Amino acid sequence: MSRIKKILVSQPEPENKKSPYFALAEKHNLKIDFRPFIHVEGVSSREFRQSKVDFSDHSAVIFNSKTAIDHYFRIAEELRVTVPDTMKYFCISEATAFYLQKYIVYRKRKIFYGNGKMEDLVDVMAKHKSEKFLVPISAAHKEEIPMLLEKHNFNFITSVLYKTECSDLSDLADVNYDVLVFFSPSGIKSLLKNFPDFKQNDTKIASFGDKTAKAVEEAGLRLDIKAPAPQAPSMTMALESFIENYNKNGKP
């Protein structure tokens, strides 16, 4: 029986050396490689102009990620748009809000944030119903955010400032892994775009989240490891449980 020895995680390598991935690799004598299957590209200034969105028409902006912040200020710089000091910033979390320091003098601006959930940020925004909100989003975005804003009758528009693209994985063509780990449907899309003749055979596929699991199945692939689960809320815990059983018994 072949044992699981090599795992490819379709994300950047963790900067924190105390990441549970490194502990998992050491405990089970695994080789774990990290390689993003997707990357973010900003829309061009030309593409943005075609959307007819004018930053100066809005008195507040909603950020649900650091990526959104980067591309909002990138477009502003490329179009030589001065973001007024009176702009109000509403951020999904405190960490996202602090990231604004990269572009503005934090203590001199009107900045508000939630605790990581859009529903909580909406409660904060309720005191600012008169604002005209701009919501920077990805081309492939979750509909939950605009739907929630519509439900609460906020005056807002969305603006696509960046998009997710498949990365070039051609250098992995002759490299074999026992487990491939995915965190988004885009990762599955990238796998099949780079390797249209991909045959799963004995390769195990792990996925995080229901949408990713659905993408695996819709692609006609076999899903072997699914997280989160009641006994394995994280991907590393799900991997460890599977590996311990598989390497011992030859089955999950």
Side-chain angles (χ1 to χ4, degrees):
M1 182 199 74
S2 60
R3 296 168 60 86
I4 291 176
K5 299 178 181 178
K6 295 177 64 179
I7 298 175
L8 179 62
V9 179
S10 60
Q11 283 189 332
E13 182 172 340
E15 295 181 3
N16 184 359
K17 295 305 177 185
K18 294 184 179 180
S19 165
Y21 282 105
F22 300 131
L24 178 67
E26 183 176 358
K27 180 178 179 180
H28 293 279
N29 193 28
L30 303 168
K31 176 178 173 52
I32 301 182
D33 292 333
F34 299 87
R35 177 66 179 276
F37 275 39
I38 56 176
H39 63 276
V40 173
E41 289 184 4
V43 302
S44 67
S45 300
R46 181 173 175 273
E47 288 175 294
F48 176 75
R49 287 193 188 96
Q50 291 175 344
S51 71
K52 305 297 184 182
V53 172
D54 188 343
F55 281 5
S56 62
D57 286 342
H58 302 87
S59 57
V61 58
I62 301 171
F63 292 124
N64 71 336
S65 69
K66 295 176 182 178
T67 301
I69 292 175
D70 285 336
H71 289 285
Y72 173 80
F73 286 99
R74 173 185 63 82
I75 288 290
E77 182 180 5
E78 290 179 2
L79 298 182
R80 295 183 173 85
V81 173
T82 300
V83 180
D85 295 347
T86 55
M87 181 67 71
K88 292 183 179 180
Y89 301 94
F90 293 82
C91 301
I92 193 73
S93 67
E94 185 177 19
T96 305
F98 281 159
Y99 187 73
L100 283 167
Q101 295 177 100
K102 182 177 178 180
Y103 299 99
I104 62 174
V105 181
Y106 190 88
R107 59 186 175 81
K108 293 185 177 181
R109 300 294 186 268
K110 296 178 180 179
I111 301 171
F112 311 87
Y113 53 84
N115 64 3
K117 296 181 179 180
M118 194 63 197
E119 291 82 356
D120 297 309
L121 183 58
V122 164
D123 291 339
V124 176
M125 293 167 56
K127 299 178 181 178
H128 305 268
K129 268 293 186 69
S130 63
E131 305 297 338
K132 294 180 67 177
F133 293 92
L134 177 70
V135 190
I137 56 173
S138 167
H141 61 277
K142 295 180 179 179
E143 291 296 337
E144 287 89 337
I145 293 177
M147 288 175 62
L148 187 61
L149 297 176
E150 286 178 2
K151 177 182 177 182
H152 291 274
N153 298 313
F154 285 103
N155 182 5
F156 78 98
I157 66 166
T158 58
S159 179
V160 174
L161 301 187
Y162 54 100
K163 50 194 173 182
T164 301
E165 299 288 353
C166 298
S167 299
D168 180 5
L169 307 174
S170 55
D171 58 302
L172 296 178
D174 298 320
V175 182
N176 295 314
Y177 289 91
D178 301 311
V179 182
L180 301 178
V181 183
F182 296 95
F183 294 86
S184 72
S186 298
I188 302 298
K189 178 182 177 182
S190 179
L191 171 70
L192 299 179
K193 180 178 180 180
N194 278 276
F195 310 110
D197 298 324
F198 174 76
K199 297 291 189 295
Q200 184 172 356
N201 299 323
D202 292 330
T203 303
K204 315 304 178 189
I205 289 183
S207 73
F208 191 89
D210 291 337
K211 289 184 178 180
T212 311
K214 184 179 179 182
V216 172
E217 293 166 354
E218 288 181 346
L221 300 173
R222 184 186 68 253
L223 180 59
D224 302 285
I225 307 165
K226 184 178 180 181
Q231 303 303 319
S234 70
M235 177 54 75
T236 49
M237 292 176 70
L239 286 169
E240 180 162 30
S241 176
F242 183 92
I243 290 168
E244 285 180 344
N245 287 317
Y246 188 85
N247 284 353
K248 180 179 180 181
N249 303 315
K251 59 183 179 178

